[in-house]
Amino acid sequence: MEDLKNREPILKIRDLRKSFGTHHVLNGFNLDLFEGESLVVMGKSGSGKTVMIKCIVRLMQPDSGSIELMGKDITRIDHEEMDILRTKIGFLFQGSALYDSMTVRENLEFPLRIHKEKYDQKDKLVKEALESVGLLGAIDLMPNELSGGMKRRIALARAIILHPKIIIYDEPTTGLDPITAKEIVELMKEIQIKYGSSSLIITHDVDCARVISNRMILLIEGVNYVEGTFKELVSSEDKKIKAFFK
Amino acid sequence: MRLSIFTVPSKIEAFFIEIGELSLFAARFFKETFSRPFEFKELLRQCYNMGNRSLLLVSVTGFILGLVFTLQSRPTLLDLGVESWIPSMVSISIVREIGPVIIALICVGRISSGIGAELGSMRVTEQIDAMEVSGTNPFKYLVVTRILATTLMVPLLIIFGDAIALLGSAIVEYLKSDMSFLLYFNKVFNALEFSDIFPAIIKTFFFGFAIGLVGTFKGYYCKNGTVGVGEASNTAVVYTSMLVFIIDFIAVFVTDIFSSIS
Ligand SMILES: Nc1ncnc2c1ncn2[C@@H]1O[C@H](COP(=O)(O)OP(=O)(O)O)[C@@H](O)[C@H]1O
Ligand SMILES: [Mg+2]
């Protein structure tokens, strides 16, 4: 991971700003995500982590700043181009966000429906994704028949079905018991190796950050307060940084 | 409690802002309805679901409506000695006014609130965001299909409910005065004219549109977590019920103008 800095990042955020009325959430946030790495962004709840990643996939419009995704500034491209870029990103939502009215199979087929050639081999892709998360048996169940941990796995399967280059995780372990949380983190590692993807992980779970991160960013008061490896940050003397690792 | 002259205007302002947003939402619906791709499969599924879920309710309500309405009007018409007018009077009232409004209100309670709650919970659990991220336009997939489905299905449900109501009425007549079904419906079809049926059917499309529009609007812009979902569903019912009466008023007004011209 030493040579990372010499490469072009596949995701580059510069001076990102976003306010809701007078409430300034992001005040010039910067981030580089390099190919193959796991970058963890930690921040208190309400610090704007979800807002930041929603800007990346254009679920929200930033007030200013640039977001370059694989060489394209997503604040300047049109809808069609954005949809193409979105297929290269897997997004795991905080509450899994499985479609309640659809079976697991239909949930997984949903991202394929706009890609004709992918849709033709949907059975194979669905099976493959479910095998990757170890839940092939759940294929015909409804989301309300699944436990919280299973939901998270199925959501992850849905996120990776198009073999994305980047997987964005919004608090992947929040709301799960410690054992299930550990399993999910292990699964994230496996998937990163198997698919050769890069991961951007939003969390406030220290255990998760320790296991998965190559590098970390602390999001405090709307900016990237500090960057470094887990080891570096955990041994910091800064009060604001220490507060995270208590 | 502090009373201020500013609280009332702010409420009125909020009301007009909401009307404005609803109009924009409707405009977006028309724009996206006529642009590709079309979600036919989802539209059919919605039509089927709505029909399927409301059919029993509409049947029972329609039947009771016809039954009760006939039983209640009988004594008056008997007193006047015009018992034989019952089929024509009942059918005109039901087809022109009572049937559409009552069954539309049933559909408001069943469909509009259902859509509000469903889309609302999809919004707060980020399912709508998830659709957008996977390259499907959620407005087309969720909103357009549902509004089209209500616009098509509510009129059908109303026509069906009217028919059941007339059946209920015919049964009362059969039991009370031994009038045969054949004679009853003969009288009904003699009494009903094109000018009774046509405006009544036209307005049901507007009822259907309003039911879909307000339900999806409230659900799609749902906020504040699970509390918001309940609120979306509830306000959808209140607003749509009001709209049904407003549309009905306008429809009667317009019909009246036309009939006085011709
Ligand atoms: N759509 C919105 N409208 C207004 N305020 C919002 C909206 N989305 C998020 N916020 C505010 O932005 C802040 C950051 O939210 P979020 O990114 O969800 O926090 P977290 O870091 O816990 O994910 C919160 O204070 C929240 O109230
Ligand atoms: Mg969040």
Side-chain angles (χ1 to χ4, degrees):
Chain A
M1 285 294 150
E2 298 307 313
D3 56 336
L4 279 180
K5 299 285 182 227
N6 304 327
R7 285 191 256 162
E8 253 314 279
I10 51 173
L11 171 64
K12 191 160 117 187
I13 300 179
R14 289 290 175 273
D15 200 26
L16 190 70
R17 288 167 197 276
K18 177 78 184 170
S19 313
F20 297 99
T22 55
H23 179 33
H24 303 291
V25 178
L26 297 173
N27 300 312
F29 182 78
N30 298 309
L31 176 153
D32 284 318
L33 177 69
F34 294 95
E35 209 165 332
E37 76 166 334
S38 284
L39 174 62
V40 168
V41 177
M42 267 174 101
K44 282 190 295 192
S45 130
S47 59
K49 306 184 296 291
T50 302
V51 168
M52 188 264 293
I53 54 174
K54 283 196 169 170
C55 287
I56 298 175
V57 287
R58 223 159 79 173
L59 282 171
M60 271 183 193
Q61 290 289 349
D63 298 336
S64 68
S66 71
I67 300 171
E68 239 176 64
L69 203 56
M70 290 164 236
K72 292 210 167 109
D73 186 345
I74 66 124
T75 52
R76 291 191 189 166
I77 57 176
D78 62 14
H79 238 80
E80 276 89 51
E81 227 174 327
M82 188 65 214
D83 278 344
I84 294 169
L85 271 185
R86 278 169 172 165
T87 62
K88 305 213 164 76
I89 303 174
F91 201 112
L92 187 75
F93 286 88
Q94 197 163 345
S96 300
L98 294 177
Y99 309 126
D100 301 321
S101 60
M102 302 182 199
T103 63
V104 167
R105 183 200 300 273
E106 289 164 337
N107 262 282
L108 266 65
E109 285 172 1
F110 201 88
L112 305 176
R113 58 199 291 282
I114 59 161
H115 306 282
K116 183 82 186 67
E117 69 287 4
K118 293 270 167 60
Y119 196 76
D120 292 339
Q121 37 176 326
K122 60 180 179 188
D123 289 337
K124 183 180 138 257
L125 288 170
V126 168
K127 283 224 172 81
E128 180 198 292
L130 282 177
E131 265 164 12
S132 298
V133 299
L135 276 180
L136 196 53
I139 188 161
D140 289 316
L141 297 181
M142 296 300 283
N144 62 15
E145 295 171 291
L146 306 171
S147 68
M150 285 164 91
K151 274 187 192 154
R152 211 56 64 95
R153 279 165 187 261
I154 299 294
L156 184 51
R158 187 177 66 182
I160 59 174
I161 195 156
L162 284 167
H163 296 241
K165 281 197 125 47
I166 302 174
I167 307 177
I168 299 176
Y169 297 89
D170 193 357
E171 311 212 5
T173 59
T174 302
L176 300 177
D177 62 86
I179 295 169
T180 313
K182 232 181 215 157
E183 286 171 7
I184 294 286
V185 174
E186 286 308 317
L187 184 61
M188 287 159 62
K189 272 177 106 170
E190 273 171 37
I191 283 186
Q192 171 139 20
I193 293 164
K194 185 169 170 186
Y195 288 76
S197 48
S198 321
S199 307
L200 173 60
I201 300 135
I202 303 299
T203 189
H204 52 221
D205 176 352
V206 177
D207 286 326
C208 169
R210 177 175 45 230
V211 177
I212 199 112
S213 68
N214 302 132
R215 209 154 58 83
M216 292 181 64
I217 292 180
L218 292 191
L219 169 55
I220 300 175
E221 284 151 14
V223 296
N224 38 330
Y225 186 76
V226 64
E227 296 187 31
T229 62
F230 184 85
K231 268 194 185 146
E232 286 164 9
L233 297 193
V234 87
S235 53
S236 164
E237 289 301 317
D238 188 313
K239 261 196 200 142
K240 281 183 180 167
I241 300 175
K242 271 184 139 173
F244 279 92
F245 298 98
K246 269 201 290 235
Chain B
M1 201 178 87
R2 222 180 52 175
L3 279 177
S4 151
I5 53 162
F6 294 112
T7 54
V8 174
S10 80
K11 266 192 181 160
I12 293 174
E13 190 187 337
F15 175 74
F16 280 107
I17 287 174
E18 184 125 39
I19 300 262
E21 283 172 346
L22 186 65
S23 316
L24 286 179
F25 192 78
R28 184 167 173 203
F29 161 76
F30 286 112
K31 200 177 123 220
E32 303 226 7
T33 300
F34 297 107
S35 67
R36 286 176 170 282
F38 307 110
E39 304 281 359
F40 274 120
K41 221 172 125 193
E42 181 62 13
L43 172 63
L44 285 182
R45 205 173 69 93
Q46 288 304 326
C47 287
Y48 175 79
N49 279 349
M50 281 170 197
N52 195 23
R53 261 185 280 171
S54 320
L55 203 58
L56 186 66
L57 209 60
V58 167
S59 313
V60 172
T61 324
F63 188 72
I64 294 174
L65 179 70
L67 217 71
V68 170
F69 188 60
T70 311
L71 280 172
Q72 294 274 36
S73 10
R74 271 192 120 254
T76 320
L77 294 176
L78 264 177
D79 280 350
L80 293 168
V82 286
E83 198 190 346
S84 61
W85 286 6
I86 289 179
S88 48
M89 200 213 79
V90 168
S91 62
I92 287 176
S93 324
I94 283 180
V95 168
R96 283 181 76 144
E97 187 57 38
I98 308 176
V101 170
I102 299 263
I103 292 161
L105 289 177
I106 294 287
C107 291
V108 169
R110 187 73 178 166
I111 300 175
S112 212
S113 72
I115 293 176
E118 190 189 7
L119 293 197
S121 73
M122 289 186 79
R123 168 63 74 196
V124 302
T125 58
E126 299 182 306
Q127 292 176 51
I128 295 182
D129 287 341
M131 275 191 184
E132 187 149 5
V133 170
S134 44
T136 291
N137 178 344
F139 194 92
K140 260 187 203 303
Y141 190 83
L142 299 170
V143 175
V144 170
T145 53
R146 278 170 176 75
I147 298 180
L148 287 179
T150 54
T151 312
L152 294 172
M153 292 311 286
V154 170
L156 288 181
L157 286 167
I158 289 178
I159 291 170
F160 177 76
D162 284 353
I164 298 279
L166 292 180
L167 184 69
S169 166
I171 288 175
V172 172
E173 281 308 282
Y174 174 73
L175 295 176
K176 287 269 179 183
S177 64
D178 230 5
M179 187 186 284
S180 78
F181 285 87
L182 192 65
L183 180 60
Y184 182 90
F185 282 103
N186 229 327
K187 286 187 176 219
V188 166
F189 286 114
N190 274 332
L192 284 179
E193 286 177 12
F194 180 73
S195 60
D196 297 317
I197 299 173
F198 185 70
I201 288 182
I202 295 294
K203 77 179 170 194
T204 61
F205 285 96
F206 287 93
F207 290 163
F209 179 72
I211 286 170
L213 183 74
V214 180
T216 51
F217 173 71
K218 282 290 163 190
Y220 200 73
Y221 292 127
C222 179
K223 287 192 197 90
N224 306 337
T226 37
V227 180
V229 176
E231 225 172 72
S233 160
N234 187 274
T235 46
V237 170
V238 175
Y239 283 21
T240 322
S241 315
M242 235 164 61
L243 262 179
V244 163
F245 285 107
I246 293 172
I247 291 169
D248 190 52
F249 169 71
I250 295 172
V252 170
F253 196 71
V254 171
T255 315
D256 189 54
I257 290 173
F258 269 101
S259 58
S260 60
I261 289 171
S262 54

